[in-house]
Amino acid sequence: MPDDRRSRLTPDERRAQLIALGVNFLADHPLDELTIDELARQAGVSRALLFHYFDTRQGMHRAVILTARDAMLQATAPRPELPPRERIDDTLLRFAAFVREHRGTFISLVRGIASGDQTVRELVDESREINAAHLHDALSELGIPETRALTVALRAWVAFTEEVLVTLATQESPDDAALVAFLGRTLDAVVDAAQVSTL
C-alpha cells in the first residue's frame, strides 16, 4: 500500500522525495508559488512534516533551488578533453538543450536572482560565478590574461546568455548552430572590450 511504502522511507529518502517534487513543480510554476501547503498537498503529507525537514518556506526553496541548480551545472559541465573554443561551444549547445527540456526549472533559476530570499539569490549568483570561472579557464588556455575587467565582463555575459537562452532556446524549431554562433560573437566582443579596458 502507498502509506506503507511511504512509512518505510528513511529520513534522507523522504527529504529527497520532497525536494524532487519541488523541482518538478518548477517545471510549470514559478518559485513563489511553491508553498509549504502546496508541497505537502502534492506529497500527501502534513505541513508539520515539511517544517520538520526544511524549518521554513525559505529553507524549502533553498533545498529545491540547490538541487535544480546542481542538476543544471552537472548537465552542462565543460568537457575538458575538448579544445578551449570547442569546449565553450559544446557547453552552450548543452545549455540550450537543457533549457528546452527544463524550461520552467531554468526560468525559476534565472528569476531566482530577483527573489526576496537572500539564500536563493546567493545560489543563483554562485552558479554564475562557476560558469564564469569555466570561461576563464578556457580563455586562459587561449592566452587571454585574466583582468578585473574580464572577470566583471564574463560574469555579466553569463547572465546575458541566460536571458538569451530563455528567449530563443525554447522556440519550437531553434537553430542551435546559429544560437551558439551568435553567443560566440557576443563573447568575443566582450573579451575584446575587456582587453582594452582600463578598469
Side-chain angles (χ1 to χ4, degrees), residues 125-178:
D125 264 333
E126 189 177 86
S127 74
R128 291 176 177 171
E129 295 293 345
I130 290 169
N131 286 322
H134 291 324
L135 287 169
H136 265 303
D137 292 343
L139 293 172
S140 67
E141 291 179 41
L142 294 171
I144 296 171
E146 183 174 345
T147 64
R148 180 173 181 269
L150 184 62
T151 297
V152 172
L154 290 181
R155 172 64 170 70
W157 184 83
V158 169
F160 163 79
T161 297
E162 291 171 352
E163 290 296 331
V164 170
L165 289 174
V166 166
T167 303
L168 298 180
T170 54
Q171 294 178 355
E172 287 187 10
S173 300
D175 184 337
D176 284 351

Side-chain angles (χ1 to χ4, degrees), residues 48-106:
L49 186 66
L50 269 292
F51 283 112
H52 169 74
Y53 283 109
F54 303 112
D55 293 327
T56 63
R57 179 182 179 183
Q58 289 75 23
M60 176 186 67
H61 281 182
R62 185 184 190 283
V64 168
I65 288 294
L66 178 62
T67 299
R69 186 206 69 176
D70 287 351
M72 177 189 71
L73 290 174
Q74 182 177 6
T76 59
R79 292 173 173 156
E81 69 273 14
L82 296 176
R85 192 66 204 216
E86 290 180 29
R87 189 186 317 153
I88 292 171
D89 290 348
D90 174 72
T91 298
L92 290 172
L93 281 170
R94 286 185 289 117
F95 256 116
F98 182 90
V99 174
R100 281 197 301 277
E101 293 169 15
H102 309 281
R103 183 177 187 275
T105 302
F106 186 78

Side-chain angles (χ1 to χ4, degrees), residues 15 18-19 22-23 25-26 29-40 46-66 108 114-121 123:
R15 188 174 189 276
L18 294 170
I19 291 172
V23 172
F25 181 85
L26 297 184
H29 305 84
L31 180 64
D32 286 345
E33 291 182 12
L34 181 60
T35 64
I36 291 288
D37 285 338
E38 176 60 28
L39 188 55
S46 68
R47 295 176 78 252
L49 186 66
L50 269 292
F51 283 112
H52 169 74
Y53 283 109
F54 303 112
D55 293 327
T56 63
R57 179 182 179 183
Q58 289 75 23
M60 176 186 67
H61 281 182
R62 185 184 190 283
V64 168
I65 288 294
L66 178 62
S108 289
S115 168
D117 185 343
Q118 179 66 24
T119 59
V120 170
R121 291 200 303 271
L123 287 172

